[in-house]
Structures are given as C-alpha cells and as structure tokens.
Amino acid sequence: MLWYHIWILAIIQGITEFLPISSSAHLILPSQLLGWPDQGLTFDVAVHAGTLVAVMLYFRHDLMRMLSSLKLIRAGTYTQASIEEQQQLGLVFAVVLGTLPAGVLGLVLNELTWINTRSILVIASTTLLFGLLLGWADFKINKQPVEKHLPLNALTLKHVAMIGFSQALALIPGTSRSGITITSSLLLGYSRQASARFSFLLSMPLIAAAVLLKTWEWTQQQHPIAWDVLLTGFLISAVSAFICIRLFLHWIDKVGMLPFVIYRVLLAIVLFAVAFWGMS
C-alpha cells in the first residue's frame, strides 16, 4: 500500500467502527471502487487494535466500575451491595450475554459471510435497508416523551438477548454493528445515549475477539512484517476512533440519527449505480 492508502484506511476504520455506517463496508469499498490493494490481515489487526484501545480508554472509568463490581460475586455480598454496584454487575452480565450470539455465529459463519457477502450489490442493499430501519427507530424514540426513555440501567435479560442477536446481523457487510445495536435499543425504548453507550460497551469483546482471531490467522502466514505501517495504522485508527466516540456521544442528542440515515441512503444510491453500471 502507498502511505496515503494507510492513512485513509486507518482513519476510515477509526471513524466508521463506532458510527452507524458500517466499517467493514467502508474498508471493502476502496478496493472495489478505486482498485486499491487489499490491506491484508496484519493491517486489519493493527487498526482494529487501535479502535479497541480507543474505546477502552474512553470508557476507562466505566470499565473500572464494572470490574470492581465483580468482587460482589467473589465475596458473596450482592444483597448487601449498593444499588450502583448491583447495576454495574448487571451491566457486566449484559455485555457478556449480549456478546455471545454474535461471537458464536461469527466463529461459525465468518468464512461463509466473508466469501459470499462482499459484493457492492450486497453492501448497497444492507446499507439502504438498515439505514432506513435506523431512521424509523430514531423517529419512533423521538416521538416519545423524554421521561419515558429507558436508561442504561433498565436493561432486562430479554432486551439484552434481542440486542445481542441483532448484533449478529453485522456479519453481513453494510449492516453496521453499532448501527444495528443502536437501532434495536431505540426500538426497545432506550434513550439515544443509553443505546450508543451500550453499543460501544458491546463492541469491546467483539473487537478483542476479532483482533485475536486475525492475529492467529496472521501467524499461519509467512510474510515479512512492516512494523512502521502497522504502528502508523494503529495510532491513526486509535486517535480517530477516540475523537469519533467523543463527538458522537456529545452530539447524538442534538442531531439524532438523521445525518447517518441520509448518508447511508445516498451511499446506497451511489453503490447501486456502480453495481448496475458494472453489470451493463
């Protein structure tokens, strides 16, 4: 890859990993539309590790409280714990449970979806379909009184399972992992902030698993390592992801999901045009 390829792809990964517009689709498009070389497994590992560090750094205080709540299990003092500690422990279980469906299906179907769903037509279809669904979910929650919006600590076992299974749809490029989990949460009545924050918390185990899986696949190959490329991709994706998370959570209540819905619709129109142009 050329150096500007590295910078652009790392920024794309950092920004799109957490916005509801699909990072996998955007990383596929440069090679599909512009003829860029495939970035390869090692680069994927580096930029995904960058986004993982970014989200863990941003939610470091939340993670510390969640990890601290685990002592309630070891000490057997759950009933004597404060409400906040019980809620933090419940959030730990929610993240674990919500991760399982996508994690299991990802291991089983990863290769199948990788081979059969990377076409521009598939990406255009999922970009449009799930973009419109996101718009409908945001419209629905916006019509409800703010006091009826559910907070993050109102998560139930049923809702976590539903959000977790919806997350598995993100195996199809163009769906957007953050987009589908935010959509599901909004449809269940959770506030935009709660939906986004739970989506970001759910991303950590899956990104970590993806990094480990890709690292293992990379170790099976015999290729020289361009450490300067990997470090550059890691740092750029980490910085861009951190800034993206911060701005997204700051502006989400003010602007809602409409800008992302409009972007997805316009992108889908362009992709359909490219796909049908190529068929003609």
Side-chain angles (χ1 to χ4, degrees), residues 74 79 147:
R74 184 175 65 253
T79 55
E147 59 271 15

Side-chain angles (χ1 to χ4, degrees), residues 20 126-143 175 179-180 182-184 186-187 192 255-265:
T126 52
T127 296
L128 178 62
L129 174 62
F130 291 106
L132 294 175
L133 186 60
L134 174 64
W136 178 56
D138 194 54
F139 175 80
K140 181 180 177 183
I141 197 69
N142 197 44
K143 286 294 182 182
T175 301
I180 194 63
I182 290 174
T183 298
S184 301
L186 291 174
L187 288 174
R192 289 169 177 158
V255 302
M257 298 297 166
L258 184 58
F260 306 106
V261 175
I262 293 174
Y263 173 80
R264 290 183 67 133
V265 171

Side-chain angles (χ1 to χ4, degrees), residues 50-179:
T51 55
L52 177 61
V53 169
V55 71
M56 291 181 68
L57 183 61
Y58 187 87
F59 286 98
R60 60 191 181 279
H61 299 303
D62 301 74
L63 290 175
M64 290 301 297
R65 287 192 293 268
M66 291 168 66
L67 291 174
S68 178
S69 70
L70 293 175
K71 67 183 180 184
L72 300 178
I73 300 176
R74 184 175 65 253
T77 57
Y78 179 79
T79 55
Q80 289 79 41
S82 66
I83 294 178
E84 182 181 355
E85 288 178 321
Q86 293 179 8
Q87 289 174 343
Q88 290 299 320
L89 183 59
L91 188 56
V92 172
F93 288 124
V95 171
V96 172
L97 177 61
T99 302
L100 288 177
V104 173
L105 290 175
L107 289 173
V108 175
L109 302 176
N110 180 59
E111 186 174 350
L112 181 64
T113 55
W114 181 266
I115 295 172
N116 297 307
T117 62
R118 288 172 63 86
S119 72
I120 292 181
L121 195 57
V122 170
I123 295 172
S125 301
T126 52
T127 296
L128 178 62
L129 174 62
F130 291 106
L132 294 175
L133 186 60
L134 174 64
W136 178 56
D138 194 54
F139 175 80
K140 181 180 177 183
I141 197 69
N142 197 44
K143 286 294 182 182
Q144 294 181 3
V146 175
E147 59 271 15
K148 290 188 176 181
H149 294 179
L150 297 175
L152 189 58
N153 57 27
L155 281 167
T156 65
L157 186 64
K158 178 181 178 181
H159 287 175
V160 169
M162 293 172 70
I163 296 169
F165 276 104
S166 72
Q167 186 172 222
L169 293 172
L171 290 169
I172 306 173
T175 301
S176 172
R177 189 210 58 79
S178 61

